[in-house]
Amino acid sequence: KTNEASKNLKNTEFVSSNVSEIVVGEQTQKIENKVSGSLILEPFTMHATTEIKAQDKTQTLEMYIKDNVAYAKATGQDTWIKSSNNNITAQFENLKKIANSEKVMEFYKKIAKDFKIVEEKGNYVLTYSGNGDQFKELMVAIANSSGGQVKEEAFNNVEFKNVTIKFVVSKDFIPISNETMMEITTKNAAKPTTMKITQNTSYSNVNKVTSIDLPEAAKNAKEIGKNS
């Protein structure tokens, strides 16, 4: 039912965060990636602010996608740029998966019988924990649901130690939040590497976002990368 209801998600506000902690030998690196905003699936319209923190540096990018044109303004920039180049706008299409990643939901269906379900604060909370190679498929789906393009072979030499999933839906099976935590270690590496990943997406105003409007400054954006 949750899988079916997620397909009925037409528009939403969202906050999606991904925290990766990578330990190589005795060195630890932490990367935080957060995307927040609102989106409408048809016709695809979006406002999102992306914030990436790594090694004490923070980069932000604010962007809109409207009428097949992408608008963006980066940290420290006063002016907006825009592009209707198909290659550029196609990259942002992946962000639709924040609202509904069919691949993630299909994976959940495969392990549905292993989910525990409880009622909490008037919602249903589905939880799962496990380990093993079957999570390669989930890892790829999650990476790609944040706008990435990752293939399953990328995880051939890793071992999935601990994976926990927490999925919260309303009694009408409307998605509220979705959290995945996993710990991965490399196999046969010269330096042992451990990676802890926490991906969390929360939804609000589901199917109540009626319009996303461009700010005045973005309407005067400079065009780059035109289709040849």
Side-chain angles (χ1 to χ4, degrees):
K1 280 186 178 178
T2 300
N3 189 31
E4 290 308 311
S6 74
K7 290 177 182 174
N8 294 328
L9 195 152
K10 306 282 189 260
N11 54 72
T12 187
E13 291 175 6
F14 64 88
V15 178
S16 183
S17 67
N18 188 318
V19 179
S20 303
E21 198 172 287
I22 304 151
V23 182
V24 183
E26 294 180 4
Q27 287 188 312
T28 302
Q29 184 185 6
K30 192 174 182 180
I31 300 168
E32 296 177 57
N33 185 340
K34 182 178 173 185
V35 185
S36 57
S38 50
L39 61 81
I40 298 169
L41 290 178
E42 295 297 337
F44 183 44
T45 310
M46 182 173 191
H47 172 225
T49 301
T50 303
E51 188 178 273
I52 300 168
K53 287 183 190 174
Q55 297 167 334
D56 300 326
K57 287 184 182 172
T58 302
Q59 289 180 303
T60 59
L61 177 72
E62 186 178 7
M63 62 183 182
Y64 285 84
I65 297 167
K66 198 172 175 77
D67 303 325
N68 295 318
V69 181
Y71 301 81
K73 182 165 77 80
T75 313
Q77 299 290 317
D78 293 327
T79 52
W80 287 82
I81 54 171
K82 69 177 181 180
S83 180
S84 51
N85 184 302
N86 300 338
N87 294 329
I88 292 172
T89 52
Q91 287 175 20
F92 292 119
E93 288 279 308
N94 259 334
L95 289 164
K96 281 184 180 181
K97 295 176 188 167
I98 287 175
N100 174 20
S101 172
E102 283 185 27
K103 292 274 195 296
V104 172
M105 294 310 294
E106 287 301 318
F107 181 83
Y108 287 171
K109 273 174 77 175
K110 287 181 188 175
I111 58 172
K113 67 182 191 311
D114 299 320
F115 271 93
K116 292 175 183 164
I117 183 165
V118 295
E119 200 175 314
E120 205 174 276
K121 296 178 185 171
N123 298 316
Y124 293 129
V125 179
L126 295 84
T127 53
Y128 172 92
S129 61
N131 54 42
D133 270 358
Q134 75 266 29
F135 291 104
K136 268 189 210 175
E137 189 184 330
L138 176 65
M139 186 71 207
V140 171
I142 284 175
N144 292 343
S145 75
S146 306
Q149 291 175 318
V150 178
K151 292 189 167 61
E152 208 163 298
E153 295 79 62
F155 301 105
N156 278 354
N157 290 317
V158 301
E159 188 178 343
F160 291 84
K161 291 275 193 188
N162 299 304
V163 179
T164 61
I165 298 164
K166 183 180 179 183
F167 200 41
V168 183
V169 294
S170 70
K171 294 232 172 137
D172 302 328
F173 296 96
I174 303 268
I176 292 170
S177 66
N178 183 355
E179 182 178 73
T180 306
M181 297 168 72
M182 49 178 81
E183 185 177 339
I184 304 166
T185 57
T186 51
K187 298 177 191 170
N188 316 317
K191 277 189 176 178
T193 302
T194 301
M195 194 170 177
K196 292 178 183 175
I197 300 164
T198 305
Q199 165 95 20
N200 196 324
T201 304
S202 59
Y203 306 94
S204 57
N205 280 340
V206 173
N207 293 341
K208 293 176 185 171
V209 179
T210 53
S211 67
I212 296 170
D213 300 317
L214 284 177
E216 283 302 315
K219 292 175 184 175
N220 303 318
K222 181 183 170 190
E223 175 92 27
I224 60 160
K226 291 184 180 178
N227 290 316
S228 52

